[in-house]
Amino acid sequence: MDLVDLFQRIGLAIAIGAAVGVERHWRDRAEPEGARTAGIRTFTLIGMTGGLAGLLETAIGGTPAPGLIVAAFLLSLTVVMLRFALIQARAEHSVSATTVIAAITTFALGALAVLGDTVIASAGGAAIVTVLASREFLHGAIRRLTWVELRSAVVLLAMSFVLLPLIPATPYGPFGGVSPRSLLILVILLASVSFIGYVAVRLLGSGQGYLVAGAVGGLVSSTATTVTFARQSVSGMPAQAAAGGAVAAGAVSLVRTGLLVAALAPSLVSALLPPLLVSGGVMMACAVLFIRRDVSHAGAEPPANPFELIQVVKMALLITVVAFVARASSQIFGDGGLYVVSALSALADVDAATVTVAGMAAQLTTAVAINAIGIAVAANLLAKVAYGAATGSRSFLLMLALATTLAIAAGLIAAFVAQLP
């Protein structure tokens, strides 16, 4: 490496140490001098030491053993930090290894900045500062999460890193078959979107109120959430609140559909994402308006955890059936068969149709894929109005129909504008 590159790498090592040191020093800023294990100066020097250790390793050329100098420096740092951390822990009657681990990581990133990829070292520095600065948030998150939510996260991780590698990728069956691994990937994607959204609402919001309950319900199933609120509108829940929750579920469902399209079929984003986001925004505005008309009823329990195993199995079966029927219909009856399947499957849930068509986007023309997803979204919106008419109160139906009409009209306008040159 030339002299300029060398100075840049050493500078990055120092900058990483300084960034971590600022966070550590700020957290213990009320402590008098000499009362903290390590602050901004110490961590800056730790980052610099890591860089210098990497520089020495480079200069010597791995003799007598590759990595020996860096390892020796790291071992010495660990011993020193443990000694001072132990003294501080005894003085404060506390137990925490965070500062020691942060020092070891800072040293390693400093060495990586000289010996390896500077981009990875920079990203690592940003990551460690973010984790350290998020202590209160993370601790609060752990206190607020329930065992059911943590168990669901473990199941999701097991599906992603234990089960997925064992599932065969070879398609089985006619009409292109069904790949078990691709199916599981789609299930994990849907479950991840629902679970992350659910946890985000639980952590960032109060978890109460019909608007929040409806939004979280939209992450699980906007159709089921709409039916639930419709039934409650005739059993004592104010119609404005019930309609607000149902419309919020529809808004979240539209945004989620846009995210699924962006993740699975990027070629359709320019045509589908704008109308979906506009329609979702209109529905959310209507939901807020309906809720504000019923400020006297603010409490509502959020829906159950969206990532129950039974729900994952049901979604897997639904996607499998819809995907097979859609491919068969498309090959036998042409594009018209795909449109019919999309509309019929969306009567229960729009995700299955969206995921299926997005997965087939490479074999379809862009226009056919866009039309199929658009038909599915419109059919799902209209189906929820029909369910509201069958199970909800008159006032609930009127507000749901109004919000749906405005959302469809806004989406059509946005789609027309998106197609303009």
Side-chain angles (χ1 to χ4, degrees):
M1 64 184 73
D2 57 28
L3 189 60
V4 174
D5 184 46
L6 177 60
F7 272 104
Q8 289 178 341
R9 289 175 176 271
I10 292 294
L12 176 59
I14 295 173
I16 292 173
V20 177
V22 167
E23 192 283 333
R24 292 285 85 190
H25 200 120
W26 180 86
R27 189 165 296 283
D28 295 330
R29 63 190 182 280
E31 298 291 336
E33 292 296 329
R36 68 180 68 88
T37 301
I40 183 171
R41 294 182 301 169
T42 302
F43 271 96
T44 301
L45 291 174
I46 290 174
M48 183 177 180
T49 302
L52 292 176
L55 180 59
L56 288 173
E57 190 75 46
T58 303
I60 295 176
T63 303
L68 182 60
I69 294 178
V70 173
F73 271 84
L74 181 58
L75 178 60
S76 301
L77 171 67
T78 303
V79 172
V80 172
M81 291 300 300
L82 283 175
R83 173 61 177 167
F84 280 94
L86 180 60
I87 294 174
Q88 182 177 358
R90 288 174 176 173
E92 297 179 353
H93 301 288
S94 64
V95 178
S96 175
T98 302
T99 299
V100 176
I101 301 301
I104 295 173
T105 306
T106 302
F107 176 90
L109 290 173
L112 178 63
V114 172
L115 295 174
D117 193 327
T118 56
V119 175
I120 296 178
S122 299
I128 185 176
V129 173
T130 301
V131 171
L132 292 173
S134 303
R135 185 184 72 174
E136 286 75 14
F137 174 80
L138 295 175
H139 288 187
I142 294 299
R143 285 193 295 267
R144 296 182 62 181
L145 290 178
T146 65
W147 163 243
V148 174
E149 294 157 358
L150 291 176
R151 182 189 63 190
S152 298
V154 172
V155 172
L156 180 58
L157 291 174
M159 290 174 60
S160 302
F161 299 103
V162 178
L163 183 60
L164 184 60
L166 303 178
I167 300 298
T170 305
Y172 297 95
F175 303 107
V178 176
S179 171
R181 180 173 297 178
S182 298
L183 176 61
L184 182 58
I185 290 174
L186 295 177
V187 172
I188 292 173
L189 175 63
L190 292 173
S192 298
V193 171
S194 295
F195 183 75
I196 292 172
Y198 175 85
V199 173
V201 174
R202 286 272 286 113
L203 297 180
L204 302 178
S206 64
Q208 297 180 348
Y210 298 113
L211 188 65
V212 172
V216 179
L219 293 170
V220 186
S221 171
S222 62
T223 304
T225 303
T226 299
V227 173
T228 299
F229 277 114
R231 291 173 177 172
Q232 291 178 349
S233 70
V234 295
S235 60
M237 178 182 291
Q240 298 97 322
V247 173
V252 172
S253 177
L254 289 170
V255 174
R256 186 177 65 172
T257 299
L259 295 178
L260 288 174
V261 170
L264 299 175
S267 60
L268 307 179
V269 167
S270 60
L272 287 177
L273 193 58
L276 287 172
L277 293 182
V278 169
S279 297
V282 170
M283 292 197 78
M284 186 56 72
C286 292
V288 173
L289 179 62
F290 296 156
I291 291 294
R292 291 185 63 180
R293 294 179 58 190
D294 186 66
V295 297
S296 61
H297 299 83
E301 290 297 325
N305 191 333
F307 186 55
E308 292 291 347
L309 189 58
I310 186 63
Q311 297 298 327
V312 174
V313 173
K314 289 180 179 179
M315 181 60 69
L317 294 175
L318 180 60
I319 292 177
T320 301
V321 172
V322 171
F324 178 80
V325 174
R327 279 195 296 271
S329 300
S330 180
Q331 293 184 29
I332 297 174
F333 302 107
D335 299 338
L338 178 62
Y339 295 157
V340 172
V341 173
S342 296
L344 293 178
S345 62
L347 298 180
D349 192 280
V350 72
D351 285 342
T354 301
V355 170
T356 299
V357 176
M360 297 171 58
Q363 291 78 41
L364 303 172
T365 64
T366 302
V368 170
I370 292 173
N371 291 337
I373 294 179
I375 289 172
V377 171
N380 184 255
L381 289 173
L382 295 176
K384 286 183 284 193
V385 174
Y387 299 148
T391 59
S393 65
R394 177 181 175 84
S395 298
F396 173 88
L397 172 62
L398 292 176
M399 285 183 281
L400 178 62
L402 174 62
T404 301
T405 302
L406 293 176
I408 292 177
L412 291 175
I413 294 174
F416 175 76
V417 173
Q419 294 177 358
L420 294 177

